[in-house]
Amino acid sequence: MEDSKPDGHPLDAYSQIVSGVAERLTPKVASLRVPRGGQGGGPGGGYGRGESLGSGVVFTGDGFLLTNAHVVGKSTGGTAEFSDGTSAPFRVVGADPLSDLAVLRANGPTPEPAELGEADTLKVGQLVVAVGNPLGLAGSVTAGVVSALGRSLPARGRVIEDVIQTDAALNPGNSGGALADADARVVGINTAVAGVGLGMAVPVNATTRKIISALMRDGRVRRAYLGLAMMPGPVPANWRERLGRKTGLLVAQVVTGGPADRAGLRQGDLLLTVAGNPVAVSQDLQRLMFSEAIGRPLAITVMRNGALVDVIAEPSELVNA
C-alpha cells in the first residue's frame, strides 16, 4: 500500500524515500547532553549553560554511539536521550579531533542500531537525508543531495580531510547526527554548518571504520602525520599518458616546521605517489597514515614546475590530536 498524504493522495517517490529514512533512523539518533564548563560554541553544536548539545547515532547492539569529537570536547560522559522518551548515561570511550569522530558507550538500553553504509559509493547529485536530534527536538530531518566529495574542512584550528559536502540543511545541534542514503544506511556523521545551504559530514568508509575500531578498542588513534592540507588536482596534459593517470593531490598548505616542510615539500606540489602507492584523493593518503607508517621514512614523488621530484619524509606520530 502506498503512503498517503492527509488528503488521501499518495506521496511522491521523493517524499516516500525521505519519510521512510526518517521513520527508520529517528529512533536510533540520540540527543546528547554533555556537561561542559566555559562559554561559547561552534557552528555545529548548541550550548546551554555549562552544557554542550548535539546528536549521536547508535551503531552497535551493545550500546555504542557515534558522534563528533567537538560535541564531547574533553568531557568524559553525559546523557543520551532518545525519541521514545528513554535516556541513558554514557561515557566517552574515545575521541579523535583530527577526524572529528568520537565513540560513546551508553550504560543502559538503547534502540536497535543503525546500519552503517559505505560513503565511497556515493555520487555527486545523489539524494541524502540528514537526521539529527538537535536541542532535544527529536527527529529533525532535512534532505538534499551530495554536492561534492573529498573536500577539506578547516575547523577548530585543524583541517578535517575527505568530508562530504551536502546542501541538506543542518540545524544547531545536528552535529553528530546521521547522514543517510535512500536505504537509511548511515554514510556520514554530520559535522558542521559551513554556510547557508552548505553542510559537511565525515564519511563512513574504510578509513573511518579503522578510526572507529581503534577508538572502541584503545580509546585513541595513532597515525603518522605529515602536516599537509591537500585537494585533488589535475596532472598536466602532457604527462597524463606517460604516467597513466589524470589526477594527483595538490598541496594547498604546508605546516611550517612539520615533517613535510622539513622534507622540502611546497605549496603547489602535486603528490603522485607515497611509499610507492598512487595518491589521487585524500583517502588514498589517509590509508597510509595509520600506525604502520609511524617512524618509517616515506618516499614521495611530486610534480613541481612540470618536472618529477623525489623527496623523503619522516612522519611524526599523532595520537588523538
Side-chain angles (χ1 to χ4, degrees):
M1 179 180 296
E2 290 186 301
D3 294 329
S4 296
K5 301 177 184 178
D7 60 6
H9 294 294
L11 290 175
D12 60 86
Y14 176 90
S15 298
Q16 286 188 44
I17 291 172
V18 175
S19 62
V21 171
E23 183 178 0
R24 291 169 64 181
L25 277 186
T26 296
K28 308 171 192 303
V29 178
S31 175
L32 304 181
R33 295 183 175 273
V34 186
R36 178 181 293 178
Q39 302 295 321
Y47 285 75
R49 177 172 294 180
E51 186 176 61
S52 171
L53 300 173
S55 302
V57 184
V58 179
F59 72 102
T60 74
D62 53 351
F64 282 96
L65 290 87
L66 268 178
T67 188
N68 290 143
H70 79 263
V71 169
V72 297
K74 296 186 180 300
S75 299
T76 58
T79 304
E81 301 177 356
F82 297 96
S83 60
D84 63 0
T86 62
S87 64
F90 68 80
R91 64 181 176 88
V92 178
V93 176
D96 177 48
L98 199 62
S99 64
D100 201 22
L101 289 174
V103 172
L104 319 175
R105 183 74 181 273
N107 182 21
T110 56
E112 289 295 310
E115 179 185 355
L116 297 184
E118 178 49 69
D120 287 355
T121 65
L122 291 175
K123 305 292 184 186
V124 171
Q126 182 173 338
L127 170 66
V128 284
V129 182
V131 181
N133 202 332
L135 307 178
L137 303 175
S140 171
V141 178
T142 56
V145 298
V146 175
S147 305
L149 296 164
R151 289 294 172 88
S152 295
L153 173 66
R156 297 168 287 280
R158 65 189 73 244
V159 177
I160 303 172
E161 297 286 356
D162 195 29
V163 298
I164 303 164
Q165 179 183 323
T166 172
D167 65 354
L170 300 180
N171 303 308
N174 258 322
S175 273
L179 186 73
D181 63 15
D183 295 314
R185 295 174 298 214
V186 178
V187 293
I189 300 298
N190 298 319
T191 190
V193 179
V196 176
L198 183 64
M200 298 289 188
V202 179
V204 173
N205 55 29
T207 302
T208 50
R209 286 174 192 270
K210 202 168 185 178
I211 293 170
I212 293 163
S213 294
L215 291 174
M216 293 173 71
R217 182 181 64 248
D218 304 321
R220 64 183 187 137
V221 179
R222 296 178 66 235
R223 54 161 67 81
Y225 170 71
L226 284 174
L228 291 172
M230 290 159 298
M231 64 184 72
V235 171
N238 61 320
W239 277 92
R240 291 178 184 176
E241 186 174 348
R242 197 181 321 181
L243 296 175
R245 55 189 299 185
K246 296 181 179 180
T247 59
L249 281 177
L250 185 66
V251 176
Q253 181 181 354
V254 181
V255 176
T256 302
D261 187 28
R262 296 194 299 270
L265 288 169
R266 305 174 187 172
Q267 183 177 356
D269 284 348
L270 186 69
L271 268 70
L272 298 173
T273 65
V274 177
N277 298 280
V279 291
V281 294
S282 296
Q283 194 182 146
D284 293 337
L285 185 59
Q286 287 179 338
R287 290 192 187 104
L288 300 171
M289 289 293 101
F290 285 95
S291 56
E292 57 266 25
I294 296 171
R296 289 179 49 199
L298 295 178
I300 299 175
T301 299
V302 303
M303 179 160 289
R304 179 184 299 164
N305 298 325
L308 299 182
V309 177
D310 294 320
V311 301
I312 300 294
E314 297 189 11
S316 56
E317 180 177 356
L318 210 57
V319 180
N320 287 20

